[in-house]
Amino acid sequence: MSAHDANLAYVPTWCPGCGNFGIFNALKKAFAALELDLEQTVLVNGIGCSSKIGQYINCYRIETLHGRSLPVATGVKLANHGLTVIAEGGDGDGMGLGMGHFVHTARRNLDISYFIHNNQVYGLTKGQTSPTSEPGMFTKFTPPPVGNVERPVNIVDMAISLGASFVARAYTGNMDHLADMMAQAIRHRGFAVVDILQPCVSFNAVNTYAWYQQRVRSIPSSHDPSDREKAKALAGLWGDEIPVGVFLREKRPTFADSLPQLTDGPLTAQPLTGIDISELMEDLA
Amino acid sequence: MKSDFSCLFAGEAGYGVMSAGSTVAKAAGRNNLWAFVVNEYPSLIKGGLNTCLVRLAAAPLQAHEEAIDCLAVLSQEGLEQNYSRLQPGGCLIADVSLAVDSSRLAEGVRVYQQPLLQKGSGDVAKIMSNSAMLGAFCAVSGFPVDLIEAVLAGEFKPEVFEKNRLLLRAAYETASQQTAAAAFSLPFAPPPAKRMLLNGNDAIAMGALQAGCKFSAGYPMTPGSSVLTYLADNGPAFGLVFKQAEDEIAAINMLIGAGFAGVRAIGSTSGGGFALMAEALGFAALAEVPLVMVNAQRGGPSTGQPTRTAQADLAFVLNASQGEFLRIVVAPGDIEECFQETFRAFNLAEKYQLPVIILTDKYLADSAATHPFFQTEGLAVERGKLADAAWLAAHQPYKRYEFTPDGVSARALPGTGGGRHIATSYTHGEDGFYSSGNREYAGCEPEVTVRALDKLFAKEPPILEELEAVRLYGPETADLTMVVWGSTKGAALEAMELAKGAGISVNVLQVLYLSPFPAAAVAEILGRSTQTLLVEGNKTAQLGGLVRMHTGIHLANRYLKYDSRAFTPSQILLKIKEVLA
C-alpha cells in the first residue's frame, strides 16, 4: 500500500499551518512503511483538534469521548487482540481528563500505540491552559499578569515511570523522523507512547515552530533504550535542549499474553452458540 | 397449620450467620422445600449486626415476611433488635452469654440458651460458632440435623468438616435434652428434580454467559459487584475476559470498545457508578454500539446506603446522559426474569444497536431463592444486522449509519474487509462523519441533524412490537389492580394470594420494560381497572409519574416505601384493605 490508500476524501478542518497536518501525513507514511492492513487496524481517538485525525484516515476508527480513548482502545484490543490498535489524542484530552486512564493503561502494557499531539494548549475550546502548558504561559484561563502557575506534566518521564514499554518523542516539523517513531511504536509489542511536539499556530504564541527548531535535538545514537535509568535521565531534559527519539524500549509480556482465554484466538472469534451452563447450575444445587 | 416457617440467624459480621442461613436453605431445597433468603448487613467488614432470614415453604417463595418463628442469635444487639419479630409460640435460641428479657417476648416463646460462641481465636472459632448454632436450631425446630450435615459435608474440606460435624452434633444433643417439641412441621421429601439456591446477580451472570458474553469490565460497587465477581470467577471457563477497571468511566468505555469490536459485553454497578458512566451511555447510543449494563439499586442519594435496598434510580436511568436517545430499560422482578431478560438484553442490544440497562436492586440482587434449573432450550442468539465481507462487497460504498426504515443499519466489525468506517460520539450523517463543522455537511446540517436523531428513535416501534413489556397476574379484572416494577413483584404476588384468601379480588400489573415505555399496554389494562394501588420503593412515585406522563392516568393510591427495606406481603395486604375500605 501507499500513503495514499489511507486517505479519505474529507477535507481536514485544522487551521492552516497546524501541526496536526504533519502528524496526519506522518501517520499515513508510517502505515505505508509498515504495509499495514487497514482493514485490521483500529484508530481510537478522543475529542479535540488532535482527535479529528480519525475523521480523515481510512481504517476502522472510533471517535470516543473527551479523554476516553485509552479505555475504549483497551476494550477493542481485549475483544480482538489480532487487530492493530492505535490511540490518538491531545495533551488536554490525554493528560487532563484522560490522565487516570493513561496511568493504568501504561501499567497494563497492552499492545496499543498511543500518539499524543502535544501543543501545550487547548485548541478546540479556543485557548485554555493544558496540563503541559509552561509556567507563566498566558491563556484565556490564566490571564496576565500571573499566567499559568502549575508545573507541566512531562509525558515522556511519566510514561517511563508508569511502565510503558516503548517511549519516544518526536516533532511534527520533522515528518520523516516522526513517521519512523510512529512505525517503531506500532511495530513494538506492548504499550508504546510517542509524545509529539506540535505548535498550535492559533493559541500558543510561545511554543512555535521557531521555538522548537532551536531546541529539538536527536537523542545521541550511543543511548541504549533498554537502560531505564538513562532513559529517565534523558526524559528530565527540557528547556534549551529538548531530546527527541527513542528513550526506552523494553521487551515484556503484554497484558493479553497473560490471559489463557486468548490463546485460542480473539474473543470475537469465539462461538456464541452451543454454550452449556449446566455445570454452573449443578454448582448451586 | 402454618404453611411456612421463618428463622432469623443473627450475629456479628464474620460469624457466618449468612452461611448458616444458606446451609438451611440449601438443605431444604434439596429435600423438596423452597427457600427465600434475605441478608441484611451494614457496610462493615467486622462487627456490626448481620442477619440472615430464611423463609421455608412447600411452594416457591419470592418474598420474605418480617414475622419470624425462630430467632437464633449470637449477639446481644441481634437479640435487642428482633424481640418484637418473634411470633407467639416461636422459639429463641441464644448464646448463654446473652441477657434475655422474657418480658419482651411474645406469649409462648420457648427460650433455649446454651454455649454457642466458641472459645479460641480467629475465624475458625467463628465458623465453629455457626455450626453450633445450626445444631441447636435443628434440635429446637425439628429440622433434620442429617440434612444440615449433608450440606456441610459438601462445603468443607474433610478435616474441617469433621470438626464442625462434631460441634453440630454436640450442640444438637445439648439442645435436644432441653426440648422435645418441634416447631417445624413442613414435609421433607426427595425432590422431583434438582433445584438451585441462587440470587438475582448469579442469575444475571449466568444469563450473560448463556448469551455468549465474552467480556466484562467493572469497578466494585455494592450491590452490583457480585455479577462481576461471578463472571471473574466462572467466566474464564466460558472464554470470558473480565477486566477490573480503574474507575466506572474506564469500565463503560472498555465495554463500548469491546462492543464496537464485536464481542458481547456486560458491566454491573450501582447508582453512584452508573452516574459516572452517564456520559458514555450517550456515546454508546449515538455511536450505535451494543451495550448491556446492570444497575443494582441501593439507597441514595449520593453514597446513600451501600447495603440496603431501594427503587429510586428509575427516573435517573431513564434520563441519564445529555440529549435525547433511545435506550431499553428492563427491570426483572425475580430470579427467572433476571436470567431470561439478561439473555434477551444481549439480543436486543445487538439487534437494535443501543444500550440496554438491566435495573435491579439490592433485594433482588442479593436475596437467594430456591429455583428450578433454568430451561435453556429455545434460547436463540440473535445478532441483528452484521455486515460480513460478502454483504459489504455488494454494498459499496458502505454507509455504517445508513438511514433505514427501522433505524437499524448494518454493522461492520473491525477486521471485516470492505467495512472501514468511523463510529463517533458526534452527531453524524450516514457515513458517520461529524455533521457540524465538516464542509461536506455545511449545506444540509439541520436536515442531517434531524435525520440522525430520527434514526435513533425509528427503532422504537419495532421494539415495542417485539417486547412483552407488561405482565398481568391474577384475574383479568379485579376489585383492585396493583401496579409494580422490579423486585416488588414477589411481595405483590404473594399479597394478591393473601387477599384472595381474605375474599378480596386483586390483580398485579408488572411493568417489565420501562423504556421504551409500553404506554398502550399499560393504558389498556389500567383502563379496565376500577381501583388501583401503586406499589414502589421510592418517595416520589417514579413509576406513577411515568404512567401519568405516558397515559394521562393518575394513580392516586400509593404505597411508597423508602425506609431501606423491601416490601412484605403482609404490609401490602394491609394497604390493599385500607384502599378498599
Side-chain angles (χ1 to χ4, degrees):
Chain A
M1 62 168 278
S2 73
H4 184 73
D5 295 330
N7 254 340
L8 281 167
Y10 292 81
V11 183
T13 55
W14 293 309
C15 306
C18 176
N20 279 316
F21 285 103
I23 299 173
F24 177 45
N25 288 324
L27 185 68
K28 288 186 287 183
K29 206 170 165 194
F31 281 6
L34 293 169
E35 297 189 335
L36 269 191
D37 180 350
L38 297 176
E39 308 277 12
Q40 299 286 338
T41 302
V42 178
L43 192 143
V44 187
N45 55 260
I47 295 295
C49 293
S50 52
S51 291
K52 286 185 180 183
I53 195 164
Q55 295 183 15
Y56 312 129
I57 199 143
N58 194 8
C59 57
Y60 277 93
R61 292 95 70 210
I62 178 162
E63 186 166 35
T64 71
L65 298 166
H66 196 34
R68 312 303 172 201
S69 60
L70 288 178
V72 173
T74 299
V76 173
K77 189 70 190 182
L78 288 175
N80 186 350
H81 63 284
L83 297 170
T84 298
V85 179
I86 298 161
E88 293 210 36
D91 44 299
D93 182 73
M95 299 296 117
L97 279 120
M99 179 59 102
H101 307 311
F102 179 61
V103 170
H104 296 283
T105 311
R107 286 172 52 221
R108 285 173 198 137
N109 198 35
L110 271 151
D111 186 16
I112 292 171
S113 313
Y114 186 29
F115 302 151
I116 304 163
H117 305 210
N118 182 3
N119 63 6
Q120 290 134 297
V121 73
Y122 279 77
L124 204 54
T125 50
K126 301 193 174 169
Q128 295 84 3
T129 323
S130 109
T132 57
S133 294
E134 306 262 347
M137 187 165 155
F138 301 140
T139 74
K140 287 193 170 180
F141 280 10
T142 54
V146 179
N148 178 35
V149 295
E150 290 178 23
R151 286 173 61 154
V153 163
N154 181 330
I155 295 172
V156 168
D157 182 56
M158 234 186 21
I160 294 169
S161 302
L162 294 171
S165 51
F166 177 95
V167 183
R169 184 187 282 139
Y171 167 50
T172 182
N174 185 347
M175 202 181 58
D176 287 345
H177 179 256
L178 172 57
D180 179 43
M181 292 298 104
M182 286 174 155
Q184 288 196 42
I186 295 168
R187 211 183 299 125
H188 175 78
R189 279 193 91 249
F191 189 57
V193 176
V194 183
D195 176 22
I196 305 168
L197 305 174
Q198 166 213 13
C200 172
V201 293
S202 296
F203 299 108
N204 188 340
V206 179
N207 312 104
T208 60
Y209 284 102
W211 190 89
Y212 280 121
Q213 294 293 6
Q214 285 167 17
R215 289 168 172 80
V216 166
R217 301 275 188 283
S218 289
I219 292 173
S221 56
S222 59
H223 173 62
D224 172 9
S226 69
D227 188 333
R228 180 165 266 278
E229 288 313 308
K230 291 245 170 70
K232 286 275 285 178
L234 262 179
L237 298 177
W238 181 275
D240 292 342
E241 282 196 22
I242 301 174
V244 294
V246 179
F247 289 71
L248 181 81
R249 186 189 289 109
E250 272 180 356
K251 241 184 154 172
R252 280 210 328 265
T254 70
F255 182 84
D257 290 340
S258 66
L259 297 171
Q261 299 95 307
L262 301 185
T263 50
D264 293 340
L267 297 181
T268 48
Q270 303 262 337
L272 276 75
T273 51
I275 293 165
D276 181 6
I277 62 161
S278 52
E279 252 184 62
L280 297 177
M281 297 197 279
E282 290 286 346
D283 285 346
L284 298 169
Chain B
M1 194 176 75
K2 251 175 81 52
S3 62
D4 65 337
F5 178 91
S6 285
C7 180
L8 186 77
F9 297 94
E12 280 194 12
Y15 280 85
V17 296
M18 293 182 188
S19 60
S22 61
T23 301
V24 171
K26 251 189 184 172
R30 288 180 189 176
N31 293 279
N32 209 28
L33 292 180
W34 301 80
F36 192 84
V37 184
V38 182
N39 295 313
E40 287 294 350
Y41 45 95
S43 187
L44 297 171
I45 305 301
K46 294 195 171 162
L49 177 63
N50 280 12
T51 67
C52 179
L53 177 86
V54 189
R55 187 178 178 210
L56 302 170
L61 290 168
Q62 283 188 39
H64 76 290
E65 284 286 10
E66 287 298 315
I68 51 176
D69 305 292
C70 178
L71 174 62
V73 63
L74 296 173
S75 79
Q76 192 69 32
E77 193 186 359
L79 183 61
E80 300 296 331
Q81 291 191 15
N82 295 292
Y83 272 117
S84 61
R85 296 174 69 181
L86 201 45
Q87 294 302 288
C91 46
L92 170 65
I93 302 158
D95 184 71
V96 277
S97 66
L98 306 187
V100 178
D101 179 358
S102 305
S103 70
R104 294 175 69 186
L105 289 169
E107 204 176 315
V109 168
R110 293 161 293 147
V111 179
Y112 303 95
Q113 278 194 279
Q114 67 182 78
L116 299 174
L117 287 164
Q118 299 302 299
K119 307 265 186 297
S121 63
D123 292 342
V124 177
K126 293 180 181 177
I127 295 170
M128 306 286 277
S129 304
N130 176 25
S131 295
M133 181 166 65
L134 283 171
F137 163 76
C138 289
V140 168
S141 67
F143 195 101
V145 70
D146 293 352
L147 302 185
I148 296 292
E149 191 178 301
V151 172
L152 294 182
E155 313 261 304
F156 293 118
K157 278 184 261 177
E159 59 193 61
V160 181
F161 166 64
E162 186 53 23
K163 280 185 191 166
N164 281 279
R165 191 188 71 81
L166 291 172
L167 201 55
L168 174 83
R169 290 286 173 179
Y172 176 76
E173 294 306 327
T174 307
S176 295
Q177 285 160 19
Q178 294 183 47
T179 177
F184 197 85
S185 57
L186 295 168
F188 292 95
K194 276 188 183 170
R195 295 168 185 167
M196 306 176 277
L197 181 71
L198 80 171
N199 64 34
N201 277 357
D202 295 335
I204 286 173
M206 291 164 87
L209 291 172
Q210 182 67 57
C213 177
K214 298 290 179 231
F215 183 74
S216 179
Y219 188 85
M221 186 168 187
T222 307
S225 343
S226 63
V227 171
L228 307 175
T229 312
Y230 189 101
L231 291 174
D233 192 20
N234 295 291
F238 292 81
L240 177 140
V241 169
F242 169 72
K243 181 73 207 86
Q244 182 182 333
E246 55 270 26
D247 54 38
E248 282 91 345
I249 299 173
I252 189 169
N253 281 289
M254 287 178 189
L255 297 170
I256 291 171
F260 168 73
V263 295
R264 293 185 153 196
I266 191 168
S268 179
T269 185
S270 190
F274 196 82
L276 288 171
M277 296 174 171
E279 188 192 17
L281 187 73
F283 167 34
L286 191 58
E288 299 188 58
V289 173
L291 172 71
V292 178
M293 269 310 310
V294 180
N295 177 1
Q297 299 163 95
R298 63 194 222 179
S302 192
T303 309
Q305 294 162 296
T307 62
R308 307 298 184 197
T309 202
Q311 290 186 302
D313 290 356
L314 175 58
F316 171 52
V317 301
L318 290 173
N319 298 291
S321 203
Q322 69 272 34
E324 300 168 294
F325 58 85
L326 192 71
R327 73 199 77 193
I328 293 176
V329 177
V330 58
D334 56 32
I335 283 166
E336 183 65 24
E337 287 175 353
C338 282
F339 178 77
Q340 297 291 346
E341 300 312 320
T342 299
F343 184 92
R344 195 189 314 276
F346 283 94
N347 283 349
L348 292 170
E350 287 205 316
K351 273 173 75 178
Y352 297 104
Q353 303 176 12
L354 45 60
V356 180
I357 300 154
I358 300 168
L359 185 61
T360 66
D361 57 56
K362 186 262 172 188
Y363 189 66
L364 179 57
D366 204 34
S367 299
T370 315
H371 196 86
F373 277 24
F374 296 125
Q375 289 296 321
T376 57
E377 288 148 37
L379 292 178
V381 167
E382 298 173 62
R383 303 207 66 187
K385 295 182 191 172
L386 268 189
D388 60 17
W391 186 93
L392 287 162
H395 293 83
Q396 289 296 329
Y398 168 56
K399 287 192 268 186
R400 166 64 185 95
Y401 298 102
E402 189 175 6
F403 298 133
T404 59
D406 64 358
V408 183
S409 40
R411 193 160 63 101
L413 305 182
T416 313
R420 284 180 279 173
H421 67 273
I422 184 165
T424 175
S425 62
Y426 282 114
T427 298
H428 51 267
E430 289 181 286
D431 52 8
F433 282 84
Y434 179 29
S435 59
S436 171
N438 275 335
R439 283 173 217 192
E440 291 75 9
Y441 282 107
C444 58
E445 187 194 328
E447 293 81 0
V448 170
T449 302
V450 168
R451 294 199 72 183
L453 203 59
D454 286 346
K455 179 183 194 295
L456 301 184
F457 283 93
K459 301 168 186 178
E460 184 167 341
I463 292 171
L464 284 169
E465 177 80 15
E466 169 175 349
L467 292 175
E468 285 177 56
V470 300
R471 291 181 176 175
L472 185 68
Y473 303 88
E476 277 290 298
T477 56
D479 297 339
L480 181 143
T481 300
M482 276 189 274
V483 184
V484 303
W485 65 279
S487 71
T488 305
K489 172 189 176 183
L493 289 184
E494 195 176 328
M496 177 175 85
E497 294 305 320
L498 292 176
K500 195 173 162 190
I504 307 167
S505 155
V506 170
N507 58 12
V508 177
L509 168 62
Q510 178 201 9
V511 186
L512 178 60
Y513 280 82
L514 295 135
S515 173
F517 192 78
V522 169
E524 196 267 317
I525 291 166
L526 291 180
R528 52 174 203 259
S529 304
T530 47
Q531 189 67 275
T532 57
L533 174 62
L534 176 71
V535 184
E536 54 175 323
N538 55 57
K539 185 174 168 62
T540 56
Q542 298 186 13
L543 175 62
L546 266 187
V547 169
R548 186 157 192 176
M549 181 170 87
H550 289 283
T551 68
I553 298 169
H554 177 55
L555 301 171
N557 302 315
R558 294 162 172 199
Y559 182 14
L560 304 175
K561 198 170 193 287
Y562 44 94
D563 62 357
S564 76
R565 298 299 194 273
F567 290 94
T568 67
S570 305
Q571 292 168 342
I572 296 177
L573 178 66
L574 285 176
K575 205 74 184 180
I576 292 170
K577 287 178 174 172
E578 198 182 301
V579 170
L580 292 176

